[in-house]
Amino acid sequence: MTGVEIAGLLKDYGLVGAVALLLYALKVVVGRWRDCMQERLNDNKAITERMATALERQAATNADIAENMKELRDGQGEIQKVATEAALTAAAGRRETNAKLSDLKTGQDRQPSGAAK
């Protein structure tokens, strides 16, 4: 409605017309506001669904990462065990080698100075 039409209605219907126009305007404004809010709620619902999907995927990824970390720790434990066994074996081998070298040196020291080498 244009301003002229509204002025004509006010002239014809007076205060009752003004109240009727205000009520009609309020109805239109509230209706548009309600439609806008409904659209926002629908948008928020879609966003919430997308976020829920993303959170589910992240949770699955976190579970996979946790499993991989556990496997990594288990592997590191196995590597440490093998390294420890290798170090112990090497230490035992060095002790045995040192003992044999010591025996040879003792044997050489006991040989008479004129013996053939």
Side-chain angles (χ1 to χ4, degrees):
M1 296 182 101
T2 65
V4 173
E5 292 172 334
I6 292 172
L9 287 173
L10 287 175
K11 186 176 108 182
D12 292 340
Y13 296 104
L15 184 60
V16 174
V19 170
L21 280 175
L22 287 173
L23 289 175
Y24 178 74
L26 184 61
K27 178 185 173 199
V28 169
V29 168
V30 168
R32 288 184 181 171
W33 177 80
R34 186 185 62 236
D35 293 342
C36 178
M37 290 298 112
Q38 186 62 44
E39 288 178 20
R40 290 182 76 184
L41 287 173
N42 290 339
D43 289 346
N44 286 342
K45 183 179 177 185
I47 290 170
T48 302
E49 289 172 355
R50 285 194 305 254
M51 288 179 70
T53 301
L55 287 172
E56 287 173 7
R57 289 179 182 160
Q58 185 63 44
T61 300
N62 288 348
D64 290 344
I65 290 172
E67 181 64 29
N68 290 339
M69 293 296 288
K70 181 185 177 302
E71 290 176 7
L72 179 65
R73 283 191 301 271
D74 292 346
Q76 288 174 336
E78 288 296 319
I79 290 170
Q80 186 176 13
K81 181 180 171 183
V82 169
T84 301
E85 289 175 1
L88 291 173
T89 302
R94 280 194 304 271
R95 282 192 300 271
E96 188 177 320
T97 301
N98 287 340
K100 287 184 181 182
L101 287 173
S102 178
D103 289 345
L104 288 174
K105 182 161 178 32
T106 303
Q108 283 182 344
D109 290 344
R110 290 186 183 166
Q111 280 186 349
S113 58
K117 292 187 177 179

